[in-house]
Amino acid sequence: MARIGIREVAALAGVSMGTVSHYLNHPSRVSAEKAVRIQAAIDKLGFVRNNAGRQLRLGRSTTMAYIVPDVSNPFFATIAEGVEQRASEAGLSVFLANSGGRRAREDSYLELFQEHGVLGILVASPEPIEDRLAAIQKKGTPSVLVGQLAASPGQPSVSIDDVSGGYLAARHLIDIGCRRLAFVGGPLSVRQVADRLQGASRAVRETGSATLEIIDVEPRVISVGHKVGAEIAGRPEANRPDGVFTVNDMLGIGLVQTLVTSGVRVPDEIAVIGYDDIEYAENSLVPLASIRPPHQEFGIAAVDLLLVMVEEKESDLHRVFAPELVIRRSAER
Amino acid sequence: MARIGIREVAALAGVSMGTVSHYLNHPSRVSAEKAVRIQAAIDKLGFVRNNAGRQLRLGRSTTMAYIVPDVSNPFFATIAEGVEQRASEAGLSVFLANSGGRRAREDSYLELFQEHGVLGILVASPEPIEDRLAAIQKKGTPSVLVGQLAASPGQPSVSIDDVSGGYLAARHLIDIGCRRLAFVGGPLSVRQVADRLQGASRAVRETGSATLEIIDVEPRVISVGHKVGAEIAGRPEANRPDGVFTVNDMLGIGLVQTLVTSGVRVPDEIAVIGYDDIEYAENSLVPLASIRPPHQEFGIAAVDLLLVMVEEKESDLHRVFAPELVIRRSAER
DNA sequence: CTGAAAGCGCTAACAC
DNA sequence: GTGTTAGCGCTTTCAG
């Protein structure tokens, strides 16, 4: 099949290439009669505008990229919703890329998107990445770091105040009467984990009469929650915590399952609260209380920040969101 | 910042544009000495190759697209793994797009990717889409339908044999001694649901002595599983099924949770088997037996089919995969 | 309102 | 091994 271009359309419609282009980009400037003829030719020939030519000529693109470590993680997926919504409002398209958390793949996508001349890149990464983003920035492609507060000057970011999230969780446990708290999750070398613990710790300190036990486990998955649950259920009652804050919902879900099936009453004997408010939290055996980050707004803010950068060339904005406490049966008394 | 092009690099390295291009595309044909000078210039200037120019000149792209209804669905996400792996082996990049199952978004991505001149498009969609793919095909962009067997001639697809999956599930329940089976899930207008039921039905028919009750519910989420569980647990024992096949794992997880907390023993009184083998199945209260589609190979096959189409222009290949039975405690006796 | 023509950045064919 | 050059398809002045 011969590739159909604007030239062929023009020929069939009996107008010049310029007029076809006008019709495509400024329809109002073309007479109704020719517009009809042009559209007919487009349909007849199955013309599709060639973006390479267009972009080459224009020198800019209306596409942005969002690189995530794991698309199937509901956390990133829900942010993506916000990103796409806001982008589409701004007349932009979003290319998603899945880095699998692997640095090499991350780099290759970063390179790819630069070559494609995207307007900008949103990046969520478990890897240290700010150096690379700075380099890319210098070459003309702006980026926004998603999910962690950027440290380098000139690097915008949207993030969540995990200290405050940890505080909220522990504070709530204390408010409903818990005094022997436990924090489940690790490793503390992960910033988010450390921050959540720090917040929880502050709430405990404020209270004075409460204690905080740290159960440092990883990875943060359901099956580890099961193990921790079995361990706690196996203790003499006096040694058990009466309120547990798990650093994410997976751990919380596993923990609650094992506690309940071991005959420990949740929340009466042990109250549990998770973090992230994933879909399964709401639907677990005992609906799991959790800390909810504002996913959608998060994505929206990321796009907005990117647009600001594009307009103003330089910027160093950070948006830090406050998470929200979601009370459910696992932490109600 | 003045845009850096191949021209600037050439000037700084003291060679011609052609040599720089050669260095970029056929490094072996450039003398070592100049190669060094060119690379130095590239680094110094922060040169990034402009894909628009390249693609315009070459007339082809090394990018493909994968459009899914919901990236966060582990089913599609795992397929994406396979897609990316195979694509990268073939020297291709993958752009992911999230249609949200909305037809308008689907169309706009379809259009976008055509304009970008991608090599081809992989599409998973809950919507009828073959007509649109045929139109796109005619305009020069091949596609592979992912997740359902294509009906139109000339439209390749990769799909799962859901009839056989349903058969496997019911057959297993019968094999471990169940005789009063129930199928949970709907609506039957969804092809996958209907196929799974059909397979289950065949297994029951083959047996003669078994019965199959249909509990037609939707949506297929955990909370609906809870409801069904409560309903079943509330029946007089004689009226309860002794083996349940849920059309997906979410329903199965919810069902098992409620049965167990209502005092019904799983699998002794009621065995349960789900479908899809999502991560949570393995880690639910009672590990859930399930039917596992071969996600990874699925993605690999999709890319391979696309590559065949690109080479041979026309094709009408279909790959239908057999799912696999994963036995876990919820269906062991 | 329409047409003619220049040129975006790059690659490959060709000449040296 | 290296340089020169002709477009790839499109948009946008600029003239008419």
Side-chain angles (χ1 to χ4, degrees):
Chain A
M1 154 166 13
R3 198 83 206 128
I4 303 302
I6 213 175
R7 189 191 332 280
E8 285 70 30
V9 173
L12 180 59
V15 300
S16 77
M17 283 172 56
T19 304
V20 175
S21 179
H22 275 140
Y23 171 71
L24 257 20
N25 299 290
H26 312 279
S28 60
R29 295 192 203 153
V30 174
S31 70
E33 182 229 353
K34 303 217 165 176
V36 172
R37 293 220 311 267
I38 293 171
Q39 185 57 53
I42 288 176
D43 293 340
K44 173 117 180 274
L45 297 172
F47 165 76
V48 177
R49 194 215 248 130
N50 177 325
N51 178 72
R54 176 190 173 81
Q55 189 173 330
L56 182 55
R57 178 64 232 230
L58 291 178
R60 62 195 152 72
S61 155
T62 59
T63 299
M64 49 175 294
Y66 177 33
I67 304 180
V68 296
D70 175 12
V71 278
S72 75
N73 184 323
F75 179 74
F76 297 115
T78 321
I79 292 174
E81 292 283 299
V83 168
E84 298 197 308
Q85 178 203 315
R86 195 79 186 86
S88 117
E89 286 167 16
L92 303 175
S93 311
V94 180
F95 286 158
L96 232 52
N98 198 27
S99 71
R102 266 163 285 163
R103 211 191 147 99
R105 276 252 297 267
E106 226 169 56
D107 283 341
S108 93
Y109 276 120
L110 248 18
E111 183 67 23
L112 180 73
F113 287 129
Q114 281 185 86
E115 292 187 357
H116 274 257
V118 297
L119 214 61
I121 308 180
L122 269 29
V123 191
S125 174
E127 296 275 323
I129 197 173
E130 296 191 38
D131 299 355
R132 286 179 280 163
L133 295 185
I136 287 170
Q137 176 109 253
K138 204 151 58 184
K139 298 185 194 169
T141 306
S143 63
V144 173
L145 189 58
V146 173
Q148 54 180 300
L149 184 64
S152 342
Q155 177 61 59
S157 66
V158 293
S159 59
I160 285 170
D161 184 349
D162 279 309
V163 176
S164 141
Y167 179 86
L168 277 179
R171 179 80 253 160
H172 175 71
L173 290 174
I174 292 167
D175 285 348
I176 62 172
C178 304
R179 282 301 172 269
R180 300 186 309 281
L181 305 200
F183 173 87
V184 175
L188 295 175
S189 58
V190 170
R191 178 69 187 273
Q192 283 89 335
V193 174
D195 283 355
R196 291 169 200 183
L197 173 57
Q198 187 193 326
S201 174
R202 197 176 79 219
V204 170
R205 242 182 301 119
E206 274 181 15
T207 304
S209 63
T211 60
L212 179 64
E213 170 189 6
I214 295 174
I215 302 180
D216 187 345
V217 291
E218 60 173 311
R220 304 177 291 279
V221 298
I222 293 181
S223 56
V224 169
H226 287 156
K227 273 185 219 145
V228 174
E231 189 271 319
I232 290 178
R235 298 184 189 180
E237 259 185 66
N239 290 348
R240 291 180 192 159
D242 58 0
V244 179
F245 167 38
T246 61
V247 78
N248 76 3
D249 284 345
M250 306 285 241
L251 286 170
I253 288 171
L255 179 70
V256 168
Q257 279 180 358
T258 304
L259 287 180
V260 168
T261 52
S262 306
V264 177
R265 281 169 301 135
V266 175
D268 308 295
E269 296 179 67
I270 303 183
V272 179
I273 183 164
Y275 205 105
D276 286 345
D277 193 35
I278 66 177
E279 185 192 350
Y280 301 94
E282 188 168 357
N283 291 301
S284 72
L285 191 54
V286 177
L288 185 69
S290 192
I291 300 293
R292 167 160 52 206
H295 300 107
Q296 290 262 20
E297 297 153 50
F298 212 73
I300 292 172
V303 175
D304 286 341
L305 240 53
L306 191 62
L307 293 177
V308 169
M309 294 197 74
V310 170
E311 308 254 306
E312 311 186 358
K313 250 40 192 149
E314 286 294 316
S315 137
D316 187 14
L317 297 170
H318 302 279
R319 290 271 270 132
V320 178
F321 286 86
E324 179 191 347
L325 175 66
V326 181
I327 301 178
R328 296 207 187 86
R329 204 158 79 242
S330 74
E332 272 175 348
R333 272 189 192 156
Chain B
M1 157 167 9
R3 199 83 205 131
I4 305 299
I6 213 177
R7 191 191 328 280
E8 285 71 30
V9 173
L12 180 59
V15 299
S16 76
M17 281 174 56
T19 305
V20 175
S21 179
H22 275 140
Y23 171 72
L24 258 19
N25 299 291
H26 313 279
S28 61
R29 295 190 203 156
V30 174
S31 72
E33 182 227 355
K34 303 218 164 173
V36 172
R37 293 219 315 265
I38 293 172
Q39 185 58 54
I42 287 176
D43 293 340
K44 173 117 180 274
L45 296 172
F47 165 75
V48 177
R49 195 214 250 125
N50 177 324
N51 177 73
R54 176 188 173 79
Q55 188 173 331
L56 182 56
R57 178 63 231 230
L58 291 177
R60 62 196 152 72
S61 157
T62 60
T63 298
M64 49 176 292
Y66 177 33
I67 304 179
V68 296
D70 175 13
V71 279
S72 75
N73 183 325
F75 179 75
F76 298 115
T78 321
I79 293 174
E81 292 283 299
V83 168
E84 299 196 309
Q85 178 202 314
R86 194 78 187 84
S88 118
E89 285 167 18
L92 304 175
S93 311
V94 181
F95 287 157
L96 235 53
N98 200 25
S99 70
R102 265 162 284 161
R103 210 192 148 99
R105 277 251 297 267
E106 229 169 52
D107 284 340
S108 93
Y109 276 119
L110 249 16
E111 182 67 23
L112 181 72
F113 288 127
Q114 281 186 86
E115 292 187 356
H116 275 255
V118 296
L119 213 61
I121 309 180
L122 268 30
V123 191
S125 173
E127 296 275 323
I129 197 173
E130 296 192 39
D131 299 354
R132 286 178 280 164
L133 295 185
I136 287 170
Q137 175 110 255
K138 205 152 54 182
K139 297 184 194 170
T141 306
S143 63
V144 174
L145 189 58
V146 173
Q148 51 180 303
L149 183 65
S152 342
Q155 175 61 59
S157 65
V158 294
S159 58
I160 285 171
D161 183 349
D162 279 309
V163 176
S164 140
Y167 179 85
L168 278 178
R171 179 81 252 159
H172 175 70
L173 289 175
I174 292 167
D175 286 346
I176 61 173
C178 303
R179 284 300 173 270
R180 299 187 309 281
L181 306 200
F183 173 88
V184 175
L188 295 176
S189 57
V190 170
R191 177 69 186 273
Q192 283 88 336
V193 173
D195 283 356
R196 291 168 199 183
L197 174 57
Q198 186 194 326
S201 174
R202 197 177 78 218
V204 170
R205 241 182 301 122
E206 274 180 17
T207 304
S209 64
T211 60
L212 179 63
E213 170 189 5
I214 295 174
I215 303 181
D216 186 345
V217 291
E218 62 173 310
R220 304 177 291 280
V221 297
I222 294 181
S223 56
V224 169
H226 287 157
K227 271 185 221 146
V228 175
E231 189 272 318
I232 290 178
R235 300 185 189 178
E237 259 185 65
N239 289 348
R240 292 180 192 158
D242 59 0
V244 178
F245 168 37
T246 61
V247 79
N248 77 2
D249 284 347
M250 305 286 241
L251 286 171
I253 289 170
L255 178 69
V256 169
Q257 279 180 358
T258 303
L259 287 179
V260 168
T261 53
S262 306
V264 177
R265 280 168 303 134
V266 175
D268 308 292
E269 296 178 67
I270 302 182
V272 180
I273 184 165
Y275 206 106
D276 286 345
D277 194 34
I278 66 176
E279 185 193 350
Y280 300 95
E282 189 168 356
N283 291 300
S284 70
L285 189 54
V286 175
L288 185 70
S290 191
I291 300 293
R292 168 159 54 204
H295 300 106
Q296 291 262 21
E297 298 153 51
F298 210 73
I300 292 172
V303 175
D304 285 341
L305 241 52
L306 191 61
L307 293 177
V308 169
M309 294 196 74
V310 170
E311 310 253 306
E312 310 187 0
K313 254 35 195 152
E314 285 295 315
S315 137
D316 188 13
L317 297 169
H318 302 279
R319 290 271 270 131
V320 178
F321 286 87
E324 180 191 347
L325 175 65
V326 181
I327 300 177
R328 296 209 185 85
R329 202 157 80 243
S330 74
E332 272 174 349
R333 272 191 193 155

